[in-house]
Amino acid sequence: MYLKKEWKYHLILALILVSMDFFEILNNEEFKLLKNLDSLYLWLKSTFFISCIVIYFVNFKVVCPRFLKKNHLSWFFISSLGLLLVFAALRYVLEEVIVFEITGQHNYYEETRRFWYYIVDNSYFALPPILYSTMVYLVLKLIEDKDLNKAELDSLKSQISPHFLFNTLNAFYVELLDDKPEVAKDVHRLSELLRYVTYDSKQDFVLLQSEIDFLKDYIHFFNKRFEEELAIDFSINGSIQNQFIPSLVLIHFVENLFKHGVVNDKKNPAKINITITEKNLVLETCNAILLSEKYMDSGIGTENVKRRLTAIFNANFDLHYKTKENNFYTFLKIPV
């Protein structure tokens, strides 16, 4: 879907630029050459367009994703200067070597083929494809990031009919409050957990304390399921104040631990450790892998989390995972 949108933008921009160039030709002497199908003119026009297209897509496919996506602006500008030289070199080979061999004629006069003049003159022509491709890349990245964040949260929330669900849980809570207060407390806790997923996490960022409470509630219900046989070392180090983090990111790694890991072995408990510093939050997990599971180090869920974190933090986060001696380890470090 995204690929189709990408090519649509390239095509629209190409049609606009070619149309502008054509109408400009109609108003000057180049029209006579075009009308008479002058071979040298057609050769030079073709090689010019080829050079522009090459620079456009090298910038769009290589330079922008490598440096703009990671917010390395200095390297982006250095690479752009390199593209100016590449454009000049490519055009020189196509026009002053290949076309000259075919037609016996140069595009530039001998005195203008000097190195610095040729570089400066071609820099003027190389700038538009670099600027246009950068503009299209930024527009598409903005659309992709917006759609990704909205789709991930909407997908999670659309699985529940909140109004009906919360009314039902509230009815259970009222019925159980007098006779079974502990069960009623769990029903209320479940309601708060689901309310957080459905409503509170609507924002891109939430209070760290709310996210920690959510994890505690999640682990609490697994503890109920395993009837106190749950073997989880859950620790929090550092001070929780008014820090904000992306919503529903930490739960992905905790959920994977319960889904694929051994969580009822008292001799080898699964570990969830959260360390909070002044600037960062670090989440580390370790768990033995279920022998029945064909556990994969990464999957669609993890890739989606990486894409979301990239959309929010660019390259300012660390995410690593590995399998060693039938144990699975994850490491996540994000700014707070």
Side-chain angles (χ1 to χ4, degrees), residues 1-237:
M1 187 66 180
Y2 176 69
L3 185 62
K4 292 180 180 178
K5 287 184 179 180
E6 177 183 307
W7 283 103
K8 179 179 72 174
Y9 280 91
H10 294 320
L11 183 60
I12 291 173
L13 180 61
L15 290 174
I16 293 173
L17 295 178
V18 171
S19 299
M20 290 172 61
D21 188 68
F22 178 75
F23 284 115
E24 184 179 348
I25 290 173
L26 293 179
N27 296 320
N28 58 39
E29 295 182 357
E30 287 187 62
F31 182 64
K32 294 180 182 179
L33 298 173
L34 178 63
K35 186 177 180 181
N36 296 328
L37 297 178
D38 182 272
S39 61
L40 178 61
Y41 173 80
L42 294 177
W43 274 111
L44 295 178
K45 203 68 177 176
S46 299
T47 54
F48 178 78
F49 279 134
I50 290 172
S51 301
C52 288
I53 291 170
V54 169
I55 294 302
Y56 178 98
F57 281 105
V58 168
N59 185 56
F60 183 86
K61 291 290 188 181
V62 180
V63 175
C64 287
R66 185 163 186 175
F67 299 120
L68 277 187
K69 191 173 184 179
K70 298 179 179 179
N71 209 26
H72 295 162
L73 296 180
S74 57
W75 281 107
F76 171 75
F77 288 117
I78 293 172
S79 299
S80 297
L81 293 176
L83 287 178
L84 299 180
L85 298 177
V86 172
F87 179 87
L90 179 61
R91 196 174 177 209
Y92 184 89
V93 171
L94 290 174
E95 295 182 355
E96 306 302 331
V97 178
I98 297 176
V99 172
F100 176 75
E101 286 294 322
I102 296 172
T103 65
Q105 294 179 280
H106 287 291
N107 183 29
Y108 280 73
Y109 296 112
E110 184 175 351
E111 59 270 20
T112 62
R113 289 200 299 273
R114 301 180 187 279
F115 179 79
W116 285 114
Y117 180 91
Y118 194 84
I119 294 296
V120 172
D121 189 61
N122 276 277
S123 296
Y124 169 79
F125 296 111
L127 279 175
I130 294 174
L131 293 176
Y132 290 141
S133 58
T134 302
M135 177 188 69
V136 173
Y137 175 82
L138 291 175
V139 169
L140 290 175
K141 185 176 184 297
L142 180 65
I143 294 173
E144 182 186 21
D145 292 347
K146 183 179 179 181
D147 290 345
L148 176 63
N149 290 334
K150 185 176 184 300
E152 287 179 346
L153 289 177
D154 288 348
S155 175
L156 180 60
K157 295 166 188 173
S158 65
Q159 299 175 31
I160 305 171
S161 178
H163 185 70
F164 171 78
L165 179 60
F166 292 132
N167 282 346
T168 303
L169 289 173
N170 186 61
F172 287 151
Y173 174 76
V174 172
E175 288 290 329
L176 295 167
L177 187 58
D178 292 332
D179 297 333
K180 298 181 179 180
E182 288 301 317
V183 177
K185 185 187 293 186
D186 283 343
V187 170
H188 176 72
R189 199 165 182 174
L190 175 62
S191 178
E192 290 301 306
L193 185 149
L194 296 175
R195 192 181 302 277
Y196 176 78
V197 174
T198 308
Y199 295 122
D200 297 347
S201 63
K202 185 176 182 180
Q203 301 299 321
D204 287 337
F205 287 85
V206 296
L207 280 168
L208 174 59
Q209 183 64 66
S210 299
E211 195 81 355
I212 295 294
D213 290 341
F214 176 63
L215 293 182
K216 289 179 178 178
D217 287 342
Y218 186 87
I219 294 171
H220 169 77
F221 285 107
F222 266 92
N223 194 44
K224 290 287 185 179
R225 171 186 168 185
F226 281 87
E227 298 180 351
E228 309 302 331
E229 290 298 317
L230 190 68
I232 294 285
D233 285 344
F234 180 45
S235 61
I236 300 174
N237 304 299

